[in-house]
Amino acid sequence: MIKAICRMGHPVLRKRAQLTPHELIFSDSFSQLILDLKDSMKHYGGIGIAAPQIGVDYQVAIIELIGFNRYGEDINFPMTVFVNPKITFLTEEKQGFWEGCLSVPGLRGFVERPKKIRVNYLDYKGQEKELIAEGFLATVIQHELDHLDGILYIDRIKDTRLISYQEEFDQFIMERTLD
Ligand code: NI
């Protein structure tokens, strides 16, 4: 079911989400949460969404990057559910991307984040998983998992001159970024 997105200012976006209890993963309400996240992400045109964004206080996020071509990277990352994830940075080297967020509609901002990460998490069946990611996918994962810690991407913008409305971004910035 498509849910309303909580926007910046809503307190649920500013608290650390609760750890998902293991027994919840096997419940109908958990399956429903995953469906709601998928439906909402697709409906609003996101590439990832975290449970707090639909007002649910658990450490759950989903990401899907299919046939995604951006910044010269060809990414095919199938729908993945991250439960109770933990990130380890594998390099201090940073990369910057223009990010957007369903909870901060209409804006884009340039954020630098570590280039390569490891994520340990439970999948939708409660199985322990490990994933190494770099490039744009590493940024998307960090953005989504930040939501579970009450952090929005705008908190990580170092240079506030690198914030733009989407339309101005398309008009003045995108062409330069994609080169
Ligand atoms: Ni977001």
Side-chain angles (χ1 to χ4, degrees):
M1 196 174 143
I2 297 161
K3 298 286 186 180
I5 300 290
C6 300
R7 301 196 304 179
M8 180 167 59
H10 194 302
V12 73
L13 297 174
R14 288 313 197 173
K15 66 185 290 284
R16 179 150 213 269
Q18 295 184 76
L19 275 173
T20 313
H22 208 261
E23 58 274 18
L24 185 79
I25 299 174
F26 304 101
S27 69
D28 290 346
S29 62
F30 184 78
S31 312
Q32 191 56 52
L33 169 62
I34 302 304
L35 285 174
D36 292 347
L37 285 168
K38 281 184 190 174
D39 290 347
S40 306
M41 180 177 79
K42 303 244 169 185
H43 178 75
Y44 298 109
I47 51 180
I49 192 169
Q53 293 184 275
I54 57 167
V56 175
D57 179 22
Y58 281 122
Q59 290 189 28
V60 181
I62 66 171
I63 291 172
E64 181 184 48
L65 289 163
I66 291 289
F68 198 83
N69 197 312
R70 197 161 176 190
Y71 303 107
E73 284 185 71
D74 220 344
I75 310 171
N76 271 297
F77 185 70
M79 172 78 65
T80 301
V81 178
F82 296 90
V83 179
N84 299 345
K86 281 200 177 62
I87 286 195
T88 308
F89 300 126
L90 298 181
T91 176
E92 284 178 17
E93 211 184 323
K94 302 249 176 114
Q95 61 184 357
F97 289 106
W98 285 87
E99 299 187 20
C101 182
L102 297 175
S103 295
V104 190
L107 292 182
R108 294 237 161 226
F110 189 78
V111 182
E112 290 189 289
R113 301 178 185 269
K115 222 173 169 171
K116 192 171 181 186
I117 58 169
R118 180 175 63 232
V119 193
N120 293 87
Y121 62 100
L122 301 177
D123 69 6
Y124 68 101
K125 292 180 191 156
Q127 301 290 311
E128 285 187 25
K129 296 274 172 156
E130 181 172 288
L131 169 71
I132 309 273
E134 51 193 322
F136 185 63
L137 177 61
T139 275
V140 175
I141 293 173
Q142 289 173 75
H143 174 119
E144 294 312 328
L145 303 198
D146 263 356
H147 278 298
L148 307 179
D149 286 327
I151 297 167
L152 297 175
Y153 81 87
I154 54 155
D155 306 341
R156 299 203 182 273
I157 295 172
K158 289 266 167 61
D159 181 347
T160 51
R161 289 172 297 185
L162 299 179
I163 301 176
S164 171
Y165 287 104
Q166 179 68 49
E167 283 169 32
E168 282 71 10
F169 175 81
D170 293 342
Q171 193 178 350
F172 300 112
I173 300 167
M174 190 163 65
E175 276 183 37
R176 281 184 287 136
T177 309
L178 292 179
D179 281 343

